Amino acid sequence: MMIAQIESQIRYVTNVNGETTDVLVPLELWQQLISLINSDNVSSLTWIDEQEPKAQILADLQESVRQAAVGQTFPVSELWDDIKA
């Protein structure tokens, strides 16, 4: 199931100020999502990674190579800065 299909099925709940407070997900969709999350994929990639178009993966790789070629790199230790353990 693609993200666009999922988004078309969910509904948002807002408060009196019009601020989004909750999301309503149909039960069948919820069960499918939970099943996907809990499945043991052989590739060990997350569901979103599995759904990423090959063209986007290639474009990301090409951009990374381009950045490396012009010296736009940073220490590997910085990769972990945004990850909260």
Side-chain angles (χ1 to χ4, degrees):
M1 180 174 296
M2 302 304 290
I3 298 296
Q5 293 171 312
I6 293 170
E7 289 176 338
S8 70
Q9 295 183 49
I10 61 175
R11 293 173 289 177
Y12 297 93
V13 177
T14 58
N15 62 19
V16 294
N17 297 324
E19 300 163 331
T20 303
T21 60
D22 296 285
V23 177
L24 296 175
V25 179
L27 182 58
E28 184 177 330
L29 174 59
W30 178 254
Q31 291 169 336
Q32 289 175 4
L33 292 172
I34 293 301
S35 176
L36 286 169
I37 291 169
N38 290 328
S39 68
D40 184 18
N41 295 331
V42 174
S43 70
S44 299
L45 294 174
T46 65
W47 180 83
I48 290 176
D49 291 334
E50 290 283 358
Q51 300 304 313
E52 187 171 15
K54 289 177 179 55
Q56 183 61 50
I57 295 169
L58 180 58
D60 291 346
L61 178 58
Q62 289 170 329
E63 177 60 16
S64 295
V65 170
R66 185 200 65 75
Q67 288 177 348
V70 297
Q72 293 178 327
T73 61
F74 51 92
V76 172
S77 61
E78 289 183 23
L79 292 173
W80 301 105
D81 289 348
D82 293 333
I83 298 175
K84 306 291 186 234

